[in-house]
Amino acid sequence: TRTHNYTLGADLDVSTTSSWNGASGFAPIGGTFTGSLEGDGHTISNLTVDRSSTDAVGLVGELGSGATIRNLTVENASITGNDDVGMVAGISAGTVKNVTASGTTSGNNRIGGLVGTVNGGATVTDATAAAITSGSQSVGGLIGESRGNGAVNNASATGTVTASGQYAGGLIGNHQSSTPVTDVNASGSVTGESSTGGLIGRAEANVINASASGDVVGTSGGKIGGLIGSMRSDITGASATGDVNASGNNVGGLIGNYIVGGDIRDSYARGNVSTSGDNVGGLVGALADGSIIDSYARGDINSSGSAVGGLVGEASGDVKRVYASGQVEGGNNVGGLVGKNDGQLSDAYWD
């Protein structure tokens, strides 16, 4: 039942699930699963779920508070649903630990390679996903959307992420949780509309020791970044090395739009940045408040818009102990370091 504890005793090849239930595949463990699934190092391979009109879709539909899935590999899965879709769980309020997933996930809103939505005090740790992930909004290579005080750490994702709407990220589409994201990386390409980033589309909490290496494409709108599209808190020890191509405003090699007071420290971006919009920078597109400290950018910057800089497009905060070394081309208010500066700039240089 949904409250019991289970342990896999062997690897399972479930390829026959593709023909189950009138070709709708495996029926996700329904209701709220409140027990535990101990993989014991085993693999579930070739799982198919094809339920495009169903919410909360995955191996487990909804993982309850206190429930766990751990030490498990889900390999070559094909998971399709409506909202809240992931290979391992559609929705999780529990713990997912030491779990690896590979395959494809697709749906509408809150689509993740591993978990669709992380709620409440859920934890995802020591987890990886190698997924082709697609949807409309809040789409991530590992997690579509995280809420409450859900925690994500020691995690990685590879594979392409594509959203037809906003909030696309190589690891997390939309991190609304108040808990920091730590020790994470993503390496796949990411495509989406506004608030799209190589690691996280929109982040509301601190990000520590994080990297992204995939290219990022913003198809429309703004707030596009090599690491994070839109950011509201501190970021430390972060890097982005992929190119960023967009068509809107607030575009940066690391962060597109940095909204409120906080610090960007010990971070860098090395990818090229290209758009036709305003507020474009090699590290940050728009710095509305806060500080950039001990950081740099090395990519070339190209935009026909205004406020274009090798490090920051438009800065309203403090910028110190920084440098930029890329070629910069723009319309108005163009600078090798900062395009338009309304803040404090010190110990900075451009080469």
Side-chain angles (χ1 to χ4, degrees), residues 258-279:
Y258 194 69
I259 302 171
V260 298
D263 291 336
I264 300 170
R265 290 180 178 268
D266 302 315
S267 298
Y268 67 84
R270 293 181 177 171
N272 300 324
V273 179
S274 176
T275 185
S276 56
D278 302 332
N279 305 331

Side-chain angles (χ1 to χ4, degrees), residues 47 52 56 76 78 114 123 135 150 171 175 192 209 249 262 277 291 297 313 329 333:
L47 175 69
S52 59
N76 194 35
S78 175
L114 191 78
T123 299
L171 189 82
H175 186 68
N209 298 333
N249 302 328
S291 304
E329 298 181 5
N333 296 316

Side-chain angles (χ1 to χ4, degrees), residues 13-40:
D13 183 346
V14 294
S15 52
T16 58
T17 56
S18 62
S19 62
W20 289 8
N21 299 306
S24 293
F26 178 78
I29 298 172
T32 301
F33 180 69
T34 58
S36 67
L37 175 58
E38 169 59 63
D40 203 27

Side-chain angles (χ1 to χ4, degrees), residues 277-311:
D278 302 332
N279 305 331
V280 183
L283 191 76
V284 178
L287 178 69
D289 199 355
S291 304
I292 300 175
I293 304 167
D294 298 322
S295 299
Y296 67 87
R298 290 184 177 174
D300 295 335
I301 315 302
N302 187 292
S303 177
S304 57
S306 178
V308 182
L311 188 81

Side-chain angles (χ1 to χ4, degrees), residues 189-193 196 215-220 224 243-246:
S189 62
V190 181
T191 300
E193 292 189 349
T196 287
D215 294 340
V216 178
V217 175
T219 55
S220 65
I224 310 298
D243 293 338
V244 179
N245 292 281

